[in-house]
Amino acid sequence: MNRAAVLAGVGGFVPPRVVTNEELSRRLDTSDAWIRTRTGIAERRVVDAGTSTGDLAVEAGGRALKNAGADGADLVVVATTTPDRPCPATAPTVAARLGLAGVPAYDVAAVCSGFLYALQAGASAVTAGFADRVLVIGAESYSTILDPEDRTTSVIFGDGAGAVLLRAGQRTEPGAVLDVHLGSDGAMADLITVRGGGSEERSRGGTPRPENRYFRMDGKSVFFAAVRRMAESSRTVLARTGWEIEDVDRLVAHQANVRIIQAVAEQLGLPPERAVLNIERVGNTSAASIPLALADGLADGTLRQGDRVLLTAFGGGATWGSATLVWPGLPIG
């Protein structure tokens, strides 16, 4: 048997509170037209007080298990930039709340590429025989680390979670994770960062600078780096899979910015209508972005059984990655 990790279920969850562009424009120097033109975002979801990243992860993970008709998993991997606490990891608590206490569980920190890093970890655990079922979750509550006065980030990011269940199967099955390509460049660490709260700041002593607790991003530099790295990574994983670009039915890119997604499609020579988009309604949800798009694509019929799907993302670190799979037949609802 050519053992492989097979996508068996997906689930997504966003908090109920909607923050529209109009609401943001009442406290920031911006407008609905400005935000839509530059990002493609009309609204985003934000957690209420007392709701954590782990709460979102539990909801999405439970939905993925239900979608797969599964009663458990042998491993839980949570990708997040906004863990419930600096210590311990969020994943063990999520696993326990899902009734999976006792199974190994850990976090992955690769920012917007986090889900693909977690997917590779989960798929490798399956192919190595370490686990037969792996729950991979991307979850974020970015509203908790954004500077409310920073127009460049406050209009982009939203909160949410998405999850997939991987099961052991064969590479020839629909849903098999065919290949994953990952990369990083730490020289670009300052492009996307939260400078405070870690050992770098604490080891220097003195009074922490309040502004260092907030997320910061060099938007212009990120745009060009993201397009370049996502396109390069996509070409690499397609070549390793044995697909030509015209073989790709659906592009599920990290929902960073609609212009980035369009530019990546153009770089690859893919028609823009092949991109799966939900950024208009949820914004950039970082590590939750791709699995949320998969869940929405299943729900609205954009992703159909047999579609050859390319996943790709770029995030802080800098990190990037891509993956290929053939969409399986999953129940809707």
Side-chain angles (χ1 to χ4, degrees):
M1 175 178 172
N2 189 5
R3 187 176 171 101
V6 178
L7 183 67
V10 299
F13 178 76
V14 290
R17 183 185 168 200
V18 177
V19 176
T20 63
N21 292 346
E22 289 81 0
E23 180 177 338
L24 289 177
S25 68
R26 289 195 288 271
R27 64 178 177 84
L28 296 170
D29 180 20
T30 189
S31 67
D32 176 62
W34 189 92
I35 298 170
R36 286 178 185 264
T37 300
R38 286 160 179 78
T39 68
I41 300 168
E43 61 186 39
R44 70 286 298 145
R45 301 299 185 97
V46 173
V47 294
D48 290 318
T51 299
S52 71
T53 294
D55 295 328
L56 304 181
V58 169
E59 288 288 345
R63 293 182 184 194
L65 290 168
K66 181 179 180 181
N67 184 246
D71 58 2
D74 309 309
L75 169 66
V76 177
V77 185
V78 174
T80 186
T81 316
T82 55
D84 286 358
R85 305 177 187 179
C87 172
T90 300
T93 304
V94 170
R97 290 177 62 187
L98 288 170
L100 304 176
V103 308
Y106 59 88
D107 289 0
V108 169
V111 196
C112 299
S113 304
F115 175 75
L116 290 178
Y117 271 68
L119 183 73
Q120 168 64 8
S124 295
V126 171
T127 57
F130 179 78
D132 288 330
R133 295 180 299 183
V134 180
L135 184 61
V136 179
I137 306 172
E140 303 284 13
S141 49
Y142 251 67
S143 62
T144 62
I145 61 171
L146 295 178
D147 181 347
E149 303 304 318
D150 181 6
R151 180 180 70 167
T152 62
T153 57
S154 290
V155 304
I156 295 172
F157 290 92
D159 302 337
V164 302
L165 183 72
L166 302 176
R167 64 165 176 82
Q170 300 184 51
R171 185 177 173 83
T172 53
E173 289 184 67
V177 178
L178 300 175
D179 211 324
V180 181
H181 171 261
L182 302 174
S184 74
D185 183 357
M188 294 193 287
D190 286 341
L191 292 187
I192 302 170
T193 188
V194 177
R195 295 300 300 263
S199 63
E200 179 184 79
E201 179 186 62
R202 293 169 184 264
S203 66
R204 291 173 180 167
T207 303
R209 298 173 63 180
E211 63 269 25
N212 283 350
R213 61 182 173 154
Y214 291 125
F215 176 89
R216 303 295 181 191
M217 181 174 67
D218 180 347
K220 184 175 181 180
S221 297
V222 168
F223 182 96
F224 291 110
V227 173
R228 175 192 168 198
R229 293 300 190 177
M230 290 165 74
E232 289 176 348
S233 180
S234 293
R235 293 189 189 100
T236 298
V237 81
L238 289 174
R240 295 196 328 202
T241 304
W243 289 358
E244 301 294 334
I245 191 62
E246 54 267 23
D247 294 328
V248 176
D249 298 303
R250 290 294 177 189
L251 170 67
V252 184
H254 162 53
Q255 307 286 297
N257 178 313
V258 72
R259 294 190 300 159
I260 289 177
I261 299 170
Q262 291 169 345
V264 170
E266 182 178 357
Q267 286 276 321
L268 294 174
L270 269 175
E273 61 269 18
R274 294 192 190 178
V276 175
L277 298 173
N278 68 351
I279 188 171
E280 181 180 14
R281 294 179 289 104
V282 299
N284 180 342
T285 56
S286 191
S289 173
I290 287 178
L292 261 178
L294 294 178
D296 286 349
L298 171 65
D300 66 18
T302 304
L303 290 169
R304 297 175 296 181
Q305 185 173 359
D307 280 349
R308 289 159 293 193
V309 181
L310 169 65
L311 315 177
T312 190
F314 177 89
T319 59
W320 56 86
S322 301
T324 50
L325 59 91
V326 176
W327 192 250
L330 299 178
I332 299 173

